[in-house]
Amino acid sequence: MERSTIVRVHEGLHARPATRFVKLAKGFESDVELVKDGKAVSAKSSVKLMLLAVKENQEVTVRANGADAIEAIEALIGYLENPKAGLDDEDPQPAGDAAPEPAAVSAPAATAGANGLRGVAASEGVAIGPAFAHYPPDIAGQGRMLQDSEISGEIDRFHAAVAAVQARMDRALAQDSLSAGDRGIVAALRDIAADDSLTGEVEGLIKGGNDAISAVITAASTIAADFSAVDDHYLNARADDVHAVGRQICLVLLGQDDVSLENIPQGAILIADDIGAWDLARAPLKRIGGVVCGHGGATSHIAIIARSHGIPAVLGLGDRINALRTAREVAIDGNGGHVIIDPDVATRADFAGRVEAAANERAGLAVFKTVTPKLADGRIIEVAANIGSLEEIEAAQEAGAMGVGLFRTELLFMRHMHLPSEDMQAETYAALAKAFAPYPVIVRTLDIGGDKPIAGIEFPDEENPFLGWRGIRMCLDRPDIFKRQLRALLRAAVHGNIKVMLPMVSDISEVRQTRVLVEECAAELRGEGVPHAAFDLGVMIETPAAVLIAPVLAKEVAFFSIGTNDLTQYIMAADRLNPTVAKLNDVANPAVMSAIELTARAGVAAGIMVGMCGEAAGRPDLIPVFVKMGLTELSMSPASIQRAKKTIAAMAAEG
Ligand code: PEP
Ligand code: MG
């Protein structure tokens, strides 16, 4: 018995809706299959179902065979035809949803002495501490064929290991302390561990004479390869989930524990070839003394997280990161990009002295927390914070932020396995507005591109994602996503201090089209009787085109915010994530400084606010130059705020 339908589930049967569909299917005795384009898979395996890559608006057939086939078909078709099935903002992302970090890069040769390395100075500060190497060990099977008499025992051992992994995950899920994001990751991994496609494949391999560990490694690799082969970025990222689950099962079989960031000792230097921004964000950051990584660059998200928590970081070491595998102690200088392995007595003393001096400087800066920096001519310079989540509000407030100059909304989208709803976004923006009132909160509309795919948006394969379909370009092509964000922002604007800015603007039509959408959204909300208010609309100046049309843009927007991270890479044609061209990626280069000056001149002439939210806004050597150009708002990582206030106060004292 079978019935066909068009899938209306929002964004299709991606992980969570697939898991729920499977749960529903398992409630029936009948064998149930889902068929798409002639390919049939068991509806009781979420892995198989995900691999079918069923999208919204595609035709599928539900096939059932058994005593309750009619009921099963009825229920499953009902699920597929419900656009809201699987939509629930409390469902956070499964593992692997974090923005992928940049690809491996070769870095310049080591130059820092016999046991010293040089990488990209990604987050300032010095630190010395025990090395905490995060190199998950490779796992290998026994490499011998089992005797027939061993097979059933080995299958039992495998099932016991799966049960142990699931029990561990269930215990984690039962903890109140687990954040919503972590909960989603653990739940998704547990589903995979229990999936018939993994257990079936492993059992088959053990029956063929493979030991359980070899079988798990092979089965996980096969399934992961299937995920990698699907033409869907979101599903590609699930390959990592399968590897992660396989690894957990193998560790139980070996009786070993995994390397976890949870156990990082106080003040340790975290050493990793690569670490996902999402993993770092939820690590015990207060305990991490410094970060050294093979991947990443000065404006990669690992760097931004490290800076916002005041953690010194040296990134982009490339393969030379392997030299730190056996280090016991590491000293790092995040200002110069130096890493010293097992420092000698003199180096230790030097670093200890510098760490102490930095702590004293921090203590001396604390008095600037409540200072409102004012120039001799009476102009107030707003020193605001760049943040990407509500969790960072506290650090920004503790630093003395005068509002938020850049709220990156990407994390909101990356944390979830589907697009965040309007209600959820409105609540987030409103929480920010309330936390910082009466200071302004500038929310940047979604700035995402093919370099960081997210669930629910299909990105084309692009040779140059940084020059491609990202930021405002993508949003204008997807009014369904953009309008949801704009409606949420209009709703949050009732608090009076929300401003909105557009990323990656390169043509005036992008501002005009956005205004039309904003008006459409306002009219809809009016019609629905939903309270809302207008907001100031500004643009980021981060493309050379925006600099060159700044006088035109200035007539149509309420403010400029200069995004020096992207502006520098586009002006200098030097990838911001590539350490080999890090020297060119310098905001102080005259070409970039003159672009900033042109922008400031256009904004000041038009009487609009000109601010800056790129990382350069926190540089004490450049702040006086920017302020003299006419910038009145500087937004930066919370860790830089007090020093920036001090710099401006010193300028005022000099007159
Ligand atoms: C910038 O480009 O300067 C900026 C602030 O935005 P992001 O770093 O998020 O691209
Ligand atoms: Mg940018």
Side-chain angles (χ1 to χ4, degrees), residues 5 7 13 33-41 49-63 230-232 235:
T5 189
V7 176
L13 292 187
E33 286 182 333
L34 192 68
V35 191
K36 189 190 100 177
D37 299 334
K39 186 170 175 205
V41 300
L49 213 58
M50 278 193 272
L51 283 169
L52 202 57
V54 175
K55 307 257 165 58
E56 189 175 350
N57 297 327
Q58 282 182 335
E59 187 177 355
V60 293
T61 302
V62 178
R63 195 179 279 161
V230 182
D231 185 18
D232 181 309
L235 290 174

Side-chain angles (χ1 to χ4, degrees), residues 414-440:
M414 294 192 300
R415 276 183 170 188
H416 289 261
M417 45 163 304
H418 51 73
L419 298 166
S421 69
E422 178 186 317
D423 283 352
M424 186 268 199
Q425 289 189 61
E427 275 166 33
T428 305
Y429 307 143
L432 277 171
K434 282 190 257 175
F436 288 94
Y439 290 120

Side-chain angles (χ1 to χ4, degrees), residues 419-565:
L419 298 166
S421 69
E422 178 186 317
D423 283 352
M424 186 268 199
Q425 289 189 61
E427 275 166 33
T428 305
Y429 307 143
L432 277 171
K434 282 190 257 175
F436 288 94
Y439 290 120
V441 167
I442 303 181
V443 179
R444 175 176 73 185
T445 56
L446 184 61
D447 183 16
I448 208 121
D451 62 317
K452 336 170 192 156
I454 55 171
I457 307 178
E458 245 187 83
F459 286 90
D461 280 336
E462 297 179 311
E463 294 241 345
N464 293 303
F466 273 124
L467 302 179
W469 198 57
R470 63 172 289 201
I472 190 66
R473 304 166 182 188
M474 187 279 285
C475 283
L476 287 171
D477 286 347
R478 286 292 304 263
D480 53 328
I481 298 169
F482 198 22
K483 280 181 71 178
R484 211 192 278 188
Q485 185 168 41
L486 293 172
R487 281 173 57 105
L489 286 162
L490 285 163
R491 287 168 56 184
V494 294
H495 294 281
N497 57 339
I498 289 282
K499 297 184 184 192
V500 176
M501 69 179 172
L502 311 177
M504 278 296 289
V505 167
S506 51
D507 190 89
I508 188 73
S509 64
E510 291 159 342
V511 176
R512 292 179 185 154
Q513 285 178 55
T514 301
R515 279 211 193 282
V516 171
L517 289 178
V518 171
E519 271 153 34
E520 248 177 66
C521 291
E524 283 169 18
L525 290 167
R526 233 183 342 269
E528 293 160 24
V530 177
H532 62 284
F535 47 66
D536 275 355
L537 184 67
V539 287
M540 290 191 72
I541 302 288
E542 54 182 350
T543 65
V547 174
L548 297 173
I549 60 163
V552 182
L553 285 168
K555 291 201 187 106
E556 302 207 14
V557 297
F559 63 93
F560 284 163
S561 184
I562 305 173
T564 50
N565 304 341

